[in-house]
């Protein structure tokens, strides 16, 4: 009796010790879990821990693939902790299947004779004997399985080993799932960042171009580079003027075959009609002959509408000759690209409209100025003739009337001249006859012409232009126009007895010419709008002077067209200075 109880006690002690050892091992491997969020690192940790805990000959970790739902072996080890290569991954599919579908842990100590598996091909073929398999369960679902086996020996694993594997598998599954979620989020974020920086480049290119064909060509290029498609086309929807019926006009085409320009696709075309109806992208994995947009059949086709304010304005069609080339990410990419293309197309359409309106305006101005010049020359001729007395003796009042006519004619002629200049500048047709000349001469000419007007308001004009200044390179007639304008403004917007100064100095490789006055000055608010066409300060003093608000905008364009720069400083009530530079002739 004593003997037996002693033996029992000894066996019990042994059992307790080995259980303690197992728990200690479980504690050790579990405490290492969760330290990393890198999926492959976690999988390797788990795999090593399983081999260590069970002492199995081989171990496998399997996870369900998110995309196709199939089990994939993610890590595999031999007892010596070496990774097993593909060819020796012979495992019992039946055991794994049972574990993952029923969610039960399985232990078999002689698979060859276990009636549950004995007849299975894999068990016989791979000569599997001792097997343990536990499900990996996380967030209430089975995400995979942990599988260990020993091929040659029977009876290697005990129920305690299976308990240990199951306990560990539960913790390991959570660590794996966390790492997987983290990696997925991390990858998704990475993809998003990459896509955003790509779209930034695309936006820059698209927005830079206002040319319709270039926008379409860029959009198609980007679509092809970033998807698995080999060819495609972009077209715009045109509507019949009578019926309003839509047709797709293919404008850009890229691919292995040539396409005649401006191919028309009728609304009855199966892909087009579906897109027109649903206003959604259509992906066909099995393209039928009649679905080919450009007449050439491909294996896959993606058609993405370009929408503006909910209306389809165009269609991007991509085609691939192989199956599986275009995926869900490609669709999302092209849809985002289509949104951007719509904006760029709208910009280019508005630009075209503005260009057309501008052209119409220019044509109108050029017609009007031409038509007005002719009768004005005649009126001026006869006025001068009558004033000269050739038409007979005039009394003082008649002379006075004719002077009024002549002054107003000059005013009209200035306006017509300014309008014609603006027209020429805008059309890029202003001609400059550049040559080397001395600015001193031009200043002297202008001052001479203005002297009478300045004297009439008893303004004090000083000219400070050194004779030693080197020659500049520009069109002297145009520079005369610039200085006349600035001096005329200084004269108009400075009260009687005010002071005006014209000065010039050498400034690096330029000559800087300045016209300074102590007149009305310009408010900070008005300064923002200076140089814009038709701007005039809204004050009584300014409006009392003749003007159209065109002079400064012309001056700025003339100066800049000749490589110079115009600047100003002004203070309301104190005065203004307008200055511009001209390049030196020898520079
Ligand atoms: P205009 O003299 O025919 O009105 P400009 O384009 O030459 O046209 O000038 C635009 C406006 O700028 C003027 O109406 C005036 O309000 C302001 N301005 C220009 N030069 C001066 C100046 N020297 N002093 C004060 N205001 C000025």
């Amino acid at each position: 009796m004593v003997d037996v109880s002693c033996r029992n006690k000894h066996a019990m002690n042994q059992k307790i010790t080995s259980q303690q050892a197992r728990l200690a091992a479980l504690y050790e491997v579990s405490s290492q879990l969760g330290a990393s969020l890198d999926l492959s690192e976690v999988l390797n940790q788990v795999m090593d821990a399983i081999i260590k805990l069970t002492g199995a000959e081989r171990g496998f970790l399997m996870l369900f693939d998110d995309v196709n739902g199939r089990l994939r072996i993610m890590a595999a080890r031999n007892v010596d902790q070496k990774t097993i290569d593909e060819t020796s991954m012979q495992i019992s599919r039946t055991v794994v299947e049972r574990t993952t579908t029923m969610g039960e842990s399985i232990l078999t100590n002689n698979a060859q004779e276990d009636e549950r598996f004995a007849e299975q091909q894999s068990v016989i073929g791979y000569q599997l004997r001792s097997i343990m398999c536990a499900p990996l369960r996380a967030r209430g679902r089975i995400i995979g399985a942990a599988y260990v086996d020993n091929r040659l020996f029977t009876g290697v694993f005990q129920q305690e080993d299976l308990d240990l594997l199951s306990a560990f598998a539960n913790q390991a599954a959570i660590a794996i799932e966390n790492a997987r979620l983290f990696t997925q989020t991390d990858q998704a974020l990475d993809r998003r960042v990459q896509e955003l920086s790509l779209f930034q480049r695309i936006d820059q290119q698209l927005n830079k171009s206002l040319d319709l064909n270039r926008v379409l060509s860029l959009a198609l290029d980007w679509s092809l580079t970033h998807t698995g498609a080999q060819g495609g086309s972009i077209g715009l929807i045109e509507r019949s003027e009578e019926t309003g019926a839509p047709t797709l006009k293919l404008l850009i085409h890229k691919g292995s075959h040539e396409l005649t320009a401006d191919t028309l696709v009728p609304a009855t075309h199966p892909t087009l009609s579906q897109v027109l109806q649903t206003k959604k992208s259509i992906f066909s994995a099995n393209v039928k002959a009649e679905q080919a947009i450009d007449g050439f059949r491909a294996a896959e086709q993606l058609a993405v509408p370009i929408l503006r304010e909910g209306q389809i304005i165009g269609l991007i069609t991509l085609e691939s000759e192989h199956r599986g080339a275009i995926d869900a990410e490609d669709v999302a990419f092209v849809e985002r690209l289509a949104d951007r293309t719509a904006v760029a197309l709208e910009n280019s359409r508005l630009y075209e409209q503005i260009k057309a309106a501008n052209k119409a305006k220019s044509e109108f101005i050029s017609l009007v100025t031409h038509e007005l010049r002719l009768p004005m020359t005649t009126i001026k001729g006869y006025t001068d003739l009558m004033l000269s007395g050739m038409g007979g003796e005039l009394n003082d009042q008649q002379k006075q009337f004719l002077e009024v006519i002549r002054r107003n004619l000059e005013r009209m002629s200035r306006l017509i001249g300014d309008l014609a200049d603006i027209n020429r500048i805008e059309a890029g047709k202003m001609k400059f006859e550049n040559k080397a000349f001395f600015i001193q001469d031009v200043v002297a000419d202008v001052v001479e012409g203005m002297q009478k007007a300045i004297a009439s308001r008893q303004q004090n004009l000083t000219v400070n232009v050194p004779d030693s200044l080197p020659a500049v390179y520009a069109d002297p007639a145009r520079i005369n126009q610039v200085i006349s304008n600035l001096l005329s403004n200084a004269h108009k917007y400075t009260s009687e007895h005010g002071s005006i100064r014209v000065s010039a100095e050498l400034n690096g490789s330029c000559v800087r010419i300045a016209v300074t006055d102590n007149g009305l000055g310009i408010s900070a608010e008005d300064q923002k709008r200076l140089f814009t066409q038709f701007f005039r300060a809204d004050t009584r003093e300014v409006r009392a002077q003749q003007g159209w608000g065109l002079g400064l905008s012309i001056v700025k364009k003339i100066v800049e067209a000749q490589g110079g720069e115009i600047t100003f400083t002004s203070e309301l009530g104190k005065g203004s200075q307008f200055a511009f530079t001209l390049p030196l002739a020898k520079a």
Side-chain angles (χ1 to χ4, degrees), residues 250 253 257 259 263 265 269 289 291-298 319:
L250 295 187
H253 170 84
H257 41 264
L259 192 71
T263 306
V265 182
H269 181 282
Q291 271 177 282
I293 282 265
D294 51 17
F296 294 88
R297 193 171 169 182
E319 276 152 6

Side-chain angles (χ1 to χ4, degrees), residues 485-486 489-490 492-494 517 519-522 526 530 532 535-538 542 546-553 570 575-576 578:
N485 238 302
L486 297 180
N489 279 352
K492 285 195 294 184
Y493 306 120
T494 301
D517 65 59
L520 300 177
I522 303 158
D526 284 349
L530 218 57
T532 53
F535 167 74
R536 303 198 77 203
D538 197 7
V542 167
Q546 274 177 21
W548 305 94
L550 291 172
L552 282 182
S553 69
S570 184
S576 318
F578 284 82

Side-chain angles (χ1 to χ4, degrees), residues 37 118 177 207 233 237 240 250 309 336 350 402 441 480 488 496:
L37 279 172
E177 186 65 354
N207 294 340
S233 54
I237 297 287
S240 142
L250 295 187
E309 290 167 10
R336 280 199 273 274
L350 289 175
L402 285 173
D441 298 341
N480 185 308
S488 157
E496 289 192 358

Side-chain angles (χ1 to χ4, degrees), residues 191-264:
R191 267 204 310 277
R192 200 80 193 100
V193 169
Q194 274 182 15
E195 198 179 273
L196 277 177
S197 77
L198 172 68
F199 271 119
Q200 193 186 12
R201 270 171 49 214
I202 294 177
D203 284 346
Q204 262 175 5
Q205 280 197 8
L206 283 179
N207 294 340
K208 220 161 54 186
S209 175
L210 287 169
D211 175 70
L212 183 90
N213 274 329
R214 170 118 183 93
V215 167
L216 294 176
S217 183
L218 276 171
L220 188 57
D221 278 348
W222 282 111
S223 303
L224 290 175
T225 326
H226 282 271
T227 63
Q230 290 104 41
S233 54
I234 291 201
L236 293 183
I237 297 287
E238 291 191 341
R239 292 191 182 268
S240 142
E241 278 184 14
E242 291 117 47
T243 60
T247 330
L248 180 72
K249 187 175 188 180
L250 295 187
L251 294 169
I252 308 279
H253 170 84
K254 299 201 171 153
S256 53
H257 41 264
E258 288 289 310
L259 192 71
T260 45
D262 298 354
T263 306
L264 291 176

Side-chain angles (χ1 to χ4, degrees), residues 440-460:
Q440 302 85 311
D441 298 341
V442 176
V443 170
D445 271 0
V446 175
V447 166
E448 198 189 314
M450 289 285 299
Q451 208 89 46
K452 221 168 112 191
I454 289 173
S456 72
R457 298 184 77 187
Q458 288 140 31
Q459 288 164 330
N460 175 18

